[in-house]
Amino acid sequence: MTAQTRRPLYIRMLGDVRVRRQVGFDPEPRGSPPYLCIDFRTLHTCLGPLAGAADSAPERRVHRLLSFQRYLHSSRLLRGPPQQIPLHLLDEDYTGQARCMLDKVGSWNFDIFLFDKFTNGNSLITLTFHLLNQYGLVELFQLDVVKLWRFLVMVQEDYHSHNPYHNGVHAADVTQAMYCYMREPVLSKYLTSCDLLIGLLAAVTHDLGHPGVNQPFLIKTDHYLATLYKNTSVLENHHWKSAVGLLRETELLSHLPAEDSLNMERQLGSLILATDISQQNEYLSRFRTHLDQDDLCLSHAHHRHFILQMALKCADICNPCRPWELSKQWSEKVTEEFFHQGDIEKKHNLEVSPLCDRDKNTMGDIQIGFMSYVVEPLFSEWARFSDTRLSQTMLGHLGLNKASWGSLQLGQRQTSGPEEPAEPGGSGDPGVTTASGGTGPKDIPQGNRGS
Ligand SMILES: [Zn+2]
């Protein structure tokens, strides 16, 4: 099987195409209850070994931030609406070190883990607030800063901090990457303030309320979300609806004309739904066709929106394109989340999902397959669209990181005995040809990696 035929196989297995074909895509009608009141902690409480882990730190943080809100609210009443929000007001949540880091927020080497430490675990709030403010979007859209702050606090809280990977730090990382992409010259000169606001909000909320398990898991456990969204883009629909719920609950956009805020909600949904990695092939082939025909005209809103979709997709799976030290940490976190799901499946006698078996899969195998069949094709096209130093840097890291995983895999095999025979027709790539470890491309799929 060639790489060309493996990729579609891999992509198809990321989502349950069979189920999608039976059901068809049927977006949730507008006017449905905007806030789902979902508590996925129930899922963890019932099934997960991490169940019941009391996490009082976020509560403390929220208390502190709410105190800040009260302060800000009173100061706002006294002094009127602020023009630029002085970030030093964030006091202990915003140290000098974090401020220094934000001076280089457009750097591809930006260490979001360090930034999260410097902000006492409030990286998503602090980063987003900074970017919105830097672009002047708070003033331009006349966003009520108290509502905005409340919205960001609630968003960060709705990311489950006990998820090893799909937590607020991942959302902050994606937001930082999205910012880097929106600054690229080929795109930035065309983006409107509305594009910037929607692009950032989509990055911030794109995994909101992620339960730490993937769509196939929700389907096979008859989770009500799978039923609600008819087995189609279950997680992405949930993220979108959760984001809309918080926007409406905090009334962040309620001062805008109803038509505008509804349109922004729809665009937000369109961007978030694009992160469903099971539809990667469709987006990638459309992107490739546009590039081949050289017919992208970014003065057209629908073309800009499509590129924002591609940018968010890139941002969502850019971990392998980061410097090794950052990339490796993400690999460890996502593998931990996969294996945690596998542990739950074993415990409940469910079929273990591909790549989720800690006894059969290795981090290196997972990473090399993911890089080869999902990341490389996407970022190669992105580099055609935006042929810049950033794109070359990302592809450079991708190649180096893949080689590093290959070396690590090779080292492990040499220390653990004779190498296992490669799968017939394999390319010789250690990450995609090992037969018994379940690491061939058929085992790579993980929709939640890119969701
Ligand atoms: Zn994500």
Side-chain angles (χ1 to χ4, degrees):
M1 188 180 289
T2 66
Q4 282 296 324
T5 54
R6 275 179 179 153
R7 186 162 58 244
L9 176 64
Y10 171 30
I11 296 294
R12 287 184 189 288
M13 291 191 67
L14 294 174
D16 194 334
V17 176
R18 178 180 51 78
V19 174
R20 178 177 305 109
R21 279 181 176 161
Q22 286 175 353
V23 176
F25 183 76
D26 187 10
E28 182 171 291
R30 284 193 296 279
S32 56
Y35 193 55
L36 299 171
C37 300
I38 288 156
D39 184 6
F40 264 106
R41 278 162 284 203
T42 308
L43 184 68
H44 289 267
T45 305
C46 295
L47 299 175
L50 300 177
D55 192 355
S56 58
E59 289 176 13
R60 284 200 299 274
R61 283 201 298 274
V62 169
H63 180 74
R64 200 161 59 232
L65 291 167
L66 291 176
S67 300
F68 168 75
Q69 279 184 46
R70 280 195 291 274
Y71 167 73
L72 194 59
H73 189 60
S74 60
S75 68
R76 186 170 177 272
L77 289 175
L78 289 172
R79 290 183 275 141
Q83 297 303 307
Q84 279 269 317
I85 315 304
L87 288 171
H88 64 269
L89 285 178
L90 303 182
D91 294 331
E92 60 178 319
D93 290 301
Y94 192 82
T95 67
Q97 289 162 309
R99 196 156 51 238
C100 283
M101 286 193 73
L102 282 180
D103 288 341
K104 296 181 179 175
V105 69
S107 164
W108 191 244
N109 297 334
F110 191 84
D111 186 340
I112 197 70
F113 300 111
L114 188 62
F115 185 70
D116 196 57
K117 287 196 179 84
F118 286 161
T119 55
N120 295 326
N122 292 310
S123 54
L124 184 58
I125 298 172
T126 314
L127 178 80
T128 310
F129 199 80
H130 174 80
L131 294 179
L132 291 174
N133 211 37
Q134 179 170 299
Y135 273 129
L137 296 172
V138 177
E139 188 179 357
L140 202 61
F141 285 90
Q142 298 187 322
L143 300 179
D144 183 306
V145 74
V146 176
K147 290 179 180 175
L148 173 60
W149 196 260
R150 184 161 172 256
F151 172 75
L152 294 176
V153 169
M154 292 170 82
V155 166
Q156 185 170 278
E157 283 302 296
D158 278 3
Y159 276 100
H160 299 175
S161 59
H162 50 250
N163 284 347
Y165 183 83
H166 286 104
N167 52 43
V169 185
H170 165 64
D173 185 57
V174 171
T175 304
Q176 192 269 339
M178 188 70 175
Y179 171 69
C180 291
Y181 301 153
M182 291 198 301
R183 274 166 35 114
E184 290 286 72
V186 67
L187 185 55
S188 65
K189 59 186 172 190
Y190 294 103
L191 290 179
T192 65
S193 53
C194 194
D195 294 330
L196 293 169
L197 180 63
I198 294 296
L200 289 175
L201 287 181
V204 169
T205 59
H206 82 283
D207 273 334
L208 194 58
H210 198 293
V213 293
N214 61 13
Q215 171 173 300
F217 182 94
L218 296 177
I219 292 173
K220 69 185 172 188
T221 54
D222 291 326
H223 195 276
Y224 74 94
L225 277 181
T227 308
L228 180 63
Y229 296 117
K230 301 180 180 177
N231 296 344
T232 304
S233 298
V234 174
L235 287 167
E236 292 74 20
N237 273 300
H238 172 52
H239 305 321
W240 170 34
K241 293 298 178 182
S242 300
V244 169
L246 290 189
L247 281 173
R248 294 187 185 181
E249 187 177 342
T250 58
E251 300 181 338
L252 182 62
L253 305 177
S254 63
H255 60 293
L256 302 176
E259 190 181 335
D260 290 345
S261 57
L262 278 175
N263 185 40
M264 290 171 95
E265 288 177 4
R266 277 195 292 272
Q267 288 194 52
L268 190 67
S270 173
L271 290 183
I272 293 175
L273 287 171
T275 64
D276 181 351
I277 200 116
S278 69
Q279 296 185 28
Q280 184 87 340
N281 266 353
E282 287 76 3
Y283 280 95
L284 193 57
S285 62
R286 194 175 149 202
F287 194 28
R288 193 173 283 136
T289 302
H290 276 306
L291 295 172
D292 289 345
Q293 298 178 350
D294 193 21
D295 63 357
L296 280 170
C297 183
L298 296 188
S299 54
H300 293 166
H302 63 285
H303 279 185
R304 280 201 310 280
H305 185 76
F306 175 65
I307 293 302
L308 284 177
Q309 287 177 318
M310 298 309 299
L312 184 58
K313 290 173 68 60
C314 287
D316 197 21
I317 61 169
C318 73
N319 297 159
C321 302
R322 296 281 194 180
W324 171 251
E325 286 307 318
L326 297 173
S327 179
K328 183 165 173 283
Q329 288 185 67
W330 288 121
S331 302
E332 290 164 353
K333 290 175 187 300
V334 79
T335 307
E336 186 184 346
E337 193 164 302
F338 289 174
F339 288 173
H340 178 226
Q341 176 177 325
D343 293 342
I344 298 173
E345 290 166 336
K346 286 177 186 174
K347 184 177 173 185
H348 293 271
N349 295 320
L350 298 167
E351 185 184 355
V352 179
S353 296
L355 298 190
C356 291
D357 193 333
R358 64 176 73 245
D359 298 321
K360 294 181 179 175
N361 305 119
T362 70
M363 198 178 344
D365 292 334
I366 295 170
Q367 286 303 308
I368 292 173
F370 182 62
M371 290 176 180
S372 302
Y373 296 105
V374 178
V375 182
E376 272 176 3
L378 178 62
F379 280 84
S380 297
E381 297 304 326
W382 180 263
R384 282 177 70 200
F385 167 69
S386 177
D387 186 12
T388 61
R389 180 189 282 187
L390 172 60
S391 293
Q392 295 311 316
T393 299
M394 293 192 296
L395 288 174
H397 285 309
L398 181 62
L400 289 171
N401 293 337
K402 190 175 170 186
S404 295
W405 284 118
S407 299
L408 285 172
Q409 291 293 96
L410 195 61
Q412 283 174 359
R413 288 200 184 95
Q414 284 172 346
T415 55
S416 63
E419 199 168 341
E420 295 183 5
E423 207 172 49
S427 64
D429 186 325
V432 295
T433 57
T434 304
S436 64
T439 56
K442 65 182 182 300
D443 293 321
I444 301 301
Q446 275 314 310
N448 63 351
R449 171 58 192 257
S451 62

